[in-house]
Amino acid sequence: MKRIFPSALLVALLSGCAMTLPLKGQTESGDETFTGKATGYADGAGTLELTSTKGLKCNGNFVYVTHRNGEGTFTCSNGQSGSFSFVSTGVRGTGSGSIGSRKFTFTFG
């Protein structure tokens, strides 16, 4: 049986197309909120960018470890670093992580 890919999907796969989704979150204590974006690539890798209401900026990289679950690390403008993990449907998801010793949660899509 011959499979036919929709032309838009084939073009996206061949061009290495990226999908960028809006992101928002907050620290566990609720005293700081974040906005940003998550960008995923067809090869299963991606980037995460956060900016907090207190001026903290964080950038990192992630990889999908399963079809729906991803993990990554980032560094922030104040020198702190952290790790994060998430569950994704492909167009939205939820995650959690830490910046230094502070825990945070986020949603995207």
Side-chain angles (χ1 to χ4, degrees), residues 48-93:
L48 186 75
E49 297 176 29
L50 302 172
T51 301
S52 83
T53 52
K54 295 185 178 181
L56 183 65
K57 294 180 186 267
C58 304
N59 294 298
N61 298 302
F62 65 83
V63 295
Y64 277 90
V65 293
T66 69
H67 178 68
R68 292 180 46 139
N69 298 289
E71 297 177 351
T73 59
F74 56 83
T75 56
C76 300
S77 56
N78 65 359
Q80 290 182 313
S81 61
S83 61
F84 60 93
S85 60
F86 61 88
V87 177
S88 173
T89 67
V91 293
R92 64 182 150 262

Side-chain angles (χ1 to χ4, degrees), residues 7-108:
S7 60
L9 177 59
L10 184 58
V11 169
L13 290 173
L14 293 175
S15 67
C17 188
M19 178 184 288
T20 299
L21 299 170
L23 179 145
K24 61 183 177 177
Q26 68 179 26
T27 57
E28 188 175 58
S29 65
D31 67 340
E32 192 169 9
T33 60
F34 300 90
T35 58
K37 62 183 178 177
T39 303
Y41 300 95
D43 66 358
T47 59
L48 186 75
E49 297 176 29
L50 302 172
T51 301
S52 83
T53 52
K54 295 185 178 181
L56 183 65
K57 294 180 186 267
C58 304
N59 294 298
N61 298 302
F62 65 83
V63 295
Y64 277 90
V65 293
T66 69
H67 178 68
R68 292 180 46 139
N69 298 289
E71 297 177 351
T73 59
F74 56 83
T75 56
C76 300
S77 56
N78 65 359
Q80 290 182 313
S81 61
S83 61
F84 60 93
S85 60
F86 61 88
V87 177
S88 173
T89 67
V91 293
R92 64 182 150 262
T94 62
S96 63
S98 61
I99 299 172
S101 62
R102 297 180 302 148
K103 295 182 180 188
F104 71 97
T105 59
F106 61 94
T107 61
F108 57 92

